[in-house]
Amino acid sequence: MTAAGTFGYGTEFNSIFDIQKLGAIVCKGTTLTPREGNLQPRLAETAGGLLNSIGLQNIGVKALIREKAPAWSSWRVPVIVNIAGETVDDYARLASELEGVTGISGLEINISCPNVKAGGAEFGTNPGTATKVTTTVKTSTSLPVIVKLTPNTNEIAQIAAAVAEAGADALSLINTVKGMYLDITTRQPLLGNRTGGLSGPAIKPIALSMVYEVAGAVTIPIIGCGGITTANDALEFIMAGASAIQVGTATFNNPHAPLDILEGIEQFMKTEAIEDITELIGAARSQANEKIGRAEIRDG
Ligand SMILES: Cc1cc2nc3c(=O)[nH]c(=O)nc-3n(C[C@H](O)[C@H](O)[C@H](O)COP(=O)(O)O)c2cc1C
């Protein structure tokens, strides 16, 4: 899958490669009304990463339904709409607006954007509010609901379990990691919003360990995301417990990255004579458990 906010509405990439080969496209975070986003500058490159503070600039749900969904309805690749609100009611209204619109195959609830003043990360850092948003969206839609989790908490496993209990169909993790960049000539933060969200290879080890941890806390499918740049990265996430993966920042360097990664996974499966990718899901976890089990037996 493509990661929200890094692949526009899919239409932009149509002429670059055959996007119909992808597993799914997750579109830019969508709000009830159009948003201009945060003050410029909104992007800064860091060592192995990208710091962004876009602030959910988007065309709003009505324009998305009018201008984007009609094209999606003829696509083979499913399109998942990423939604974001400032209140619990915003999420319910977004889900209701998108109900029954052809061309939309699922909703991804962004309760984890660190770049909006109201709501955003607040919902994703508390199991109670994360549950409330999930329950509300589930009762407002018949579409599959994916809840996207933030890494900016030390309770990710508890939040994942609460959201799963509330009826989420799947989880995606992680969103960006809160960070800052200072310009030493102005002695001020470079980003207009002062702080931003870090993505790219720099966050991969964080994302991987969180997928591994969450895989031990829930039984619903996990979509791994965070710094995935190569097929090997994707395979690590699958072995940590992800059933699918999303590619974000890598696409900025190489627009073909999602397809290259998919083909790389297929190549790995051929080389290793793996018939079904599900054989690999959580492989690292089961071996770790076996090792722990053996150690326990050995150690009495
Ligand atoms: C420029 C930019 C915009 C983003 N916009 C959104 C968004 O609208 N909604 C969302 O849930 N995540 C958004 N994200 C987060 C990504 O979907 C992804 O979770 C994160 O970047 C980590 O994956 P990556 O390292 O592969 O980019 C954005 C990330 C970037 C870099």
Side-chain angles (χ1 to χ4, degrees):
M1 299 181 185
T2 60
T6 62
F7 208 73
Y9 296 93
T11 42
E12 300 88 337
F13 290 78
N14 232 342
S15 58
I16 300 177
F17 68 92
D18 185 4
I19 58 171
Q20 305 304 328
K21 289 185 177 165
L22 298 177
I25 288 171
V26 183
C27 80
K28 175 63 194 165
T30 300
T31 49
L32 278 174
T33 51
R35 283 178 63 100
E36 295 281 324
N38 290 329
L39 285 177
Q40 300 279 3
R42 308 195 297 196
L43 288 177
E45 277 191 59
T46 65
L50 176 71
L51 204 52
N52 93 81
S53 63
I54 305 296
L56 289 178
Q57 178 185 8
N58 77 100
I59 59 175
V61 71
K62 288 206 161 56
L64 175 135
I65 294 168
R66 206 173 49 238
E67 295 163 21
K68 306 295 177 188
W72 297 339
S73 56
S74 64
W75 290 2
R76 188 206 68 86
V77 58
V79 177
I80 295 164
V81 177
N82 178 285
I83 58 172
E86 293 181 0
T87 63
V88 175
D89 188 51
D90 283 357
Y91 286 95
R93 286 175 56 201
L94 279 159
S96 304
E97 295 257 10
L98 294 164
E99 178 64 7
V101 177
T102 48
I104 299 173
S105 299
L107 300 180
E108 182 179 63
I109 320 180
N110 178 9
I111 53 168
S112 47
C113 183
N115 296 325
V116 286
K117 283 204 178 68
E122 290 160 31
F123 291 116
T125 50
N126 177 307
T129 45
T131 301
K132 209 164 168 203
V133 175
T134 308
T135 319
T136 308
V137 173
K138 276 299 284 180
T139 52
S140 312
T141 186
S142 58
L143 290 169
V145 172
I146 303 163
V147 179
K148 183 162 179 179
L149 303 180
T150 177
N152 300 317
T153 167
N154 53 15
E155 284 189 299
I156 195 156
Q158 290 89 326
I159 291 164
V163 162
E165 179 72 18
D169 297 291
L171 301 172
S172 52
L173 58 141
I174 58 174
N175 208 317
T176 53
V177 179
K178 189 175 177 181
M180 187 185 257
Y181 191 109
L182 278 182
D183 177 345
I184 58 165
T185 51
T186 62
R187 305 179 186 183
Q188 289 297 310
L190 181 89
L191 296 175
N193 193 48
R194 303 185 84 82
T195 60
L198 186 65
S199 61
I203 68 166
K204 196 193 94 180
I206 300 170
L208 191 64
S209 80
M210 287 188 158
V211 165
Y212 187 92
E213 186 184 349
V214 167
V218 299
T219 53
I220 57 174
I222 296 169
I223 303 163
C225 176
I228 298 176
T229 310
T230 64
N232 284 9
D233 294 337
L235 286 159
E236 284 185 58
F237 277 79
I238 292 166
M239 291 173 188
S243 301
I245 59 102
Q246 293 178 350
V247 181
T249 302
T251 313
F252 294 162
N253 262 338
N254 168 21
H256 291 244
L259 191 58
D260 291 350
I261 290 169
L262 180 60
E263 288 171 357
I265 294 171
E266 285 166 357
Q267 191 52 51
F268 178 84
M269 288 175 66
K270 245 185 231 151
T271 313
E272 299 271 315
I274 294 160
E275 300 255 317
D276 188 336
I277 190 80
T278 56
E279 286 175 39
L280 297 179
I281 299 172
R285 298 193 49 77
S286 52
Q287 279 173 20
N289 291 341
E290 267 172 35
K291 267 187 211 154
I292 293 165
R294 278 200 300 273
E296 274 170 2
I297 293 165
R298 194 187 56 233
D299 301 339

